[in-house]
Amino acid sequence: MRAVCLQHVPFKGPGAFATALADRGVSLDRHLVPRDGLPGDAGDLLIVMGGPMSVNDSDTWIAEETAFIRSTLLAGKPVIGVCLGSQFIAKALGATVKPGKALEIGKTRIYVTEEGKHDPVFGAFPEALSVFEWHGEVFDLPQDCVPLAGSDIAPLQAFRFRSRAYGLLFHLEIETEGIEALCRECPSDLERAHVTASKVSIGFLPHMWLSHQIADRLIGHLLQSNH
């Protein structure tokens, strides 16, 4: 089996998703879309990562990637969208992506919805979770989607399209190196959110293991559904 990962900047990679795939003997092709363009196909599992740009930007590659994701979703293939990736999924399904009430950076408390409690992935974990965030934009719930989790700032933090595509505003996959890279590459976001790099890094460490457990379960569920 082969997974395909769409990256938008070098420092926002698949993290713990890559480990979960390797543990299952699944190969992983990475494409830095703004530089390399889109792959020929979405493989057996498409993972769409984050980035500092907006899906509402006018770059040609953004329109092309949105269309690529839309065709993958409508073909019923397994898809995971993280942060910008979840905004791509929302836009591809016709929902509005817009600025949120505030930046959400670092550890954020999210709450699993009633629907989320019955989800095969999120239903296996506590109803309240601390996850890692780094975003300013949010989305409305796309048509034919199920809301899975929300926070005080963003009422919709995660959704599922049909049974095999998940949009997540938060970073289940983030590892220590990824947090350090974000703090290094996006210092203006820290200033705007009035937080320090050390607070962002240290604050989330106790919760990283649970995020990685959920990431692993999500990968396992989607690969299993693809048999």
Side-chain angles (χ1 to χ4, degrees):
M1 293 183 82
R2 178 175 64 93
V4 170
C5 179
L6 305 183
Q7 287 186 229
H8 308 102
V9 286
F11 59 89
K12 287 194 176 185
F17 290 139
T19 305
L21 290 165
D23 287 347
R24 291 168 173 81
V26 179
S27 64
L28 178 61
D29 296 344
R30 304 185 193 200
H31 299 265
L32 189 57
V33 181
R35 185 190 70 192
D36 305 331
L38 290 162
D41 63 82
D44 299 298
L45 168 63
L46 180 66
I47 302 175
V48 189
M49 297 308 306
M53 57 288 290
S54 169
V55 295
N56 296 319
D57 291 345
S58 57
D59 307 59
T60 304
W61 68 265
I62 289 179
E64 291 170 349
E65 183 170 336
T66 304
F68 179 83
I69 292 168
R70 179 176 169 78
S71 65
T72 303
L73 290 165
L74 296 182
K77 293 202 167 192
V79 182
I80 300 170
V82 175
C83 197
L84 179 73
S86 67
Q87 294 159 2
F88 263 118
I89 293 177
K91 185 181 179 187
L93 294 173
T96 301
V97 178
K98 58 198 174 187
K101 288 190 283 187
L103 286 175
E104 286 188 297
I105 289 183
K107 184 183 77 171
T108 302
R109 197 84 166 147
I110 65 166
Y111 306 93
V112 177
T113 62
E114 284 303 315
E115 297 95 333
K117 292 171 189 174
H118 301 287
D119 181 75
V121 177
F122 285 90
F125 296 96
E127 293 174 21
L129 301 161
S130 289
V131 294
F132 188 87
E133 309 246 27
W134 199 296
H135 70 91
E137 293 193 315
V138 297
F139 37 65
D140 295 331
L141 182 69
Q143 198 170 354
D144 300 323
C145 289
V146 175
L148 300 176
S151 73
D152 293 336
I153 288 177
L156 183 60
Q157 284 276 347
F159 63 88
R160 188 186 71 239
F161 174 64
R162 297 177 179 168
S163 61
R164 304 169 78 188
Y166 284 76
L168 313 171
L169 259 185
F170 44 88
H171 292 270
L172 291 177
E173 83 295 340
I174 200 83
E175 296 172 321
T176 307
E177 298 80 7
I179 295 176
E180 290 170 353
L182 275 167
C183 291
R184 184 177 64 247
E185 299 287 343
C186 307
S188 61
D189 289 346
L190 292 173
E191 288 175 27
R192 285 167 58 210
H194 306 293
V195 291
T196 63
S198 59
K199 184 179 180 184
V200 167
S201 300
I202 295 167
F204 185 65
L205 286 179
H207 307 278
M208 192 178 285
W209 67 275
L210 182 57
S211 271
H212 290 179
Q213 275 192 310
I214 304 171
D216 185 78
R217 185 177 178 91
L218 179 57
I219 292 287
H221 169 66
L222 290 177
L223 291 177
Q224 197 174 18
S225 75
N226 212 13
H227 284 320

